[in-house]
Amino acid sequence: MSFKTGTLGVLATAVLASTMAVAAEEPSEQVKRMDAAATVLDEIMGTPDKGIPEELLDSAKCVAVIPSMVKIGFVFGGRHGRGIATCRTATGWSAPAPFSVTGGSWGLQIGGEAVDVVMLVMNEQGMEKMLSSKFKIGADASAAAGPVGRHVEGTTDWKMRAEVLTYSRARGAFAGLTVNGASITQDKDGTRILYGRMVPSAEILTGKVKAPEGSHTFLAAVRKYGNEAHGVEASERVQKNDTRTRAANSTQARGVIEDKLKTEPGLDSKDIQVTLTPNLVTLSGSVVSSDERDKAVRVARAYAGDREVEDHLSIQRPD
């Protein structure tokens, strides 16, 4: 009897030790996930003329990265992955929030065994979905394959209206990704491990929680490619980018914006006035449609650097 009791005690101790060892390793696994997400962003944006357009990253409300999403099942199987997300706040990018994605119909361009996925939340409606504990892409939040290239082409305007833009990278090929029906849920286990307790995604992504140890690399990568709300990383962008951002902190910024408004396809800018202060770009005057107003605001934001953009344009339809 004592032998059996001793044996059970040894087994229980071994199981407990094994469990504690796994638990001790898990925080490092969360850090590895964040570091892998940072690597995905660096490698995608480091591809000449094939990255995510800078204007989209500059205006994205949230950035979510899923390193190495895997296929589950065959032929008609879905996908499963665990990712990390951050959203803009009044003081910069939020602490990272772990999430998981399951199922859905993913575009043919991710036919490999494992793919990296990047999702950009582009407006307030999409951000509200991201702050919830669960939502379905294509049903609760509209999605579109994101345009690829160093800058956004005028012909991709319709894609800007999607709440979520999605991208994939498989076997070295990078492209916009079509998604339908994938469920995004908070990774509660990952959250508990990362923060030591369960914290709702909404609290994390709205800046109410301090960024945990080990998240610096991921957040630095997001700041590097997506300007802070108040231009914390603007100096890096100025050194890196072309005339668009070099002019953002110069007296030439107004002229650059006016020139770009004049050359924007489908935009009549002769009645648009541009006023600049160190922190603000103001558009005033009139346009002939809401589409033209949206184009003018988008152009101003793309070339405003770390300035806010105010729209005082009125719509004066032609006689």
Side-chain angles (χ1 to χ4, degrees):
M1 185 71 175
S2 61
F3 173 76
K4 290 183 178 179
T5 303
T7 301
L8 289 174
V10 171
L11 289 173
T13 301
V15 170
L16 178 60
S18 176
T19 301
M20 291 177 66
V22 170
E25 292 175 357
E26 283 181 334
S28 67
E29 291 303 314
Q30 300 302 313
V31 173
K32 287 179 182 178
R33 190 199 310 186
M34 291 186 289
D35 288 348
T39 299
V40 168
L41 283 177
D42 282 333
E43 290 179 354
I44 287 175
M45 296 307 293
T47 305
D49 301 323
K50 286 292 185 180
I52 300 172
E54 294 168 355
E55 294 90 341
L56 296 185
L57 280 166
D58 283 349
S59 57
K61 301 293 184 182
C62 306
V63 176
V65 183
I66 309 164
S68 299
M69 175 183 279
V70 297
K71 182 185 295 183
I72 50 177
F74 298 94
V75 185
F76 298 106
R79 294 272 170 179
H80 177 74
R82 301 173 73 194
I84 202 79
T86 180
C87 293
R88 291 186 191 273
T89 72
T91 56
W93 290 96
S94 73
F99 69 92
S100 62
V101 56
T102 305
S105 174
W106 300 82
L108 294 177
Q109 56 267 65
I110 72 162
E113 288 301 312
V115 296
D116 302 318
V117 177
V118 178
M119 298 187 293
L120 304 183
V121 177
M122 300 307 300
N123 53 37
E124 295 294 340
Q125 293 83 357
M127 188 172 181
E128 288 178 7
K129 306 297 192 311
M130 197 72 196
L131 296 179
S132 66
S133 60
K134 181 178 181 178
F135 71 95
K136 183 172 288 189
I137 298 178
D140 299 320
S142 61
V148 174
R150 193 60 64 192
H151 297 291
V152 180
E153 297 290 339
T155 55
T156 64
D157 286 349
W158 66 274
K159 294 181 181 178
M160 308 292 187
R161 297 169 188 155
E163 293 172 358
V164 181
L165 295 178
T166 49
Y167 295 88
S168 74
R169 184 183 65 164
R171 298 177 181 175
F174 177 68
L177 170 69
T178 54
V179 179
N180 185 34
S183 292
I184 306 293
T185 57
Q186 181 177 10
D187 180 356
K188 294 182 179 180
D189 290 338
T191 301
R192 289 189 184 96
I193 293 167
L194 196 57
Y195 292 96
R197 61 189 176 91
M198 178 57 200
V199 185
S201 291
E203 290 189 21
I204 299 172
L205 296 175
T206 53
K208 297 178 181 178
V209 178
K210 183 180 178 181
E213 185 177 353
S215 62
H216 170 75
T217 301
F218 171 66
L219 294 177
V222 175
R223 285 195 295 265
K224 182 178 180 181
Y225 302 113
N227 274 344
E228 289 275 19
H230 296 289
V232 174
E233 298 296 319
S235 60
E236 292 183 13
R237 303 286 289 184
V238 168
Q239 294 173 5
K240 174 187 169 188
N241 291 342
D242 58 9
T243 305
R244 174 179 66 88
T245 48
R246 289 200 303 271
N249 291 322
S250 74
T251 56
Q252 298 175 355
R254 176 182 173 183
V256 169
I257 294 173
E258 289 176 338
D259 288 344
K260 296 300 179 180
L261 288 172
K262 291 176 182 177
T263 58
E264 178 69 12
L267 175 61
D268 184 356
S269 64
K270 65 178 182 296
D271 293 323
I272 299 176
Q273 291 84 49
V274 180
T275 304
L276 251 69
T277 67
N279 300 312
L280 184 67
V281 175
T282 303
L283 300 179
S284 57
S286 62
V287 291
V288 298
S289 68
S290 58
D291 284 344
E292 285 207 354
R293 180 172 60 191
D294 292 344
K295 285 183 180 181
V297 171
R298 188 159 56 247
V299 169
R301 284 177 178 162
Y303 294 88
D306 57 350
R307 298 178 179 86
E308 298 291 332
V309 175
E310 283 191 357
D311 163 27
H312 295 171
L313 294 168
S314 60
I315 297 177
Q316 300 288 339
R317 302 188 183 281
D319 296 334

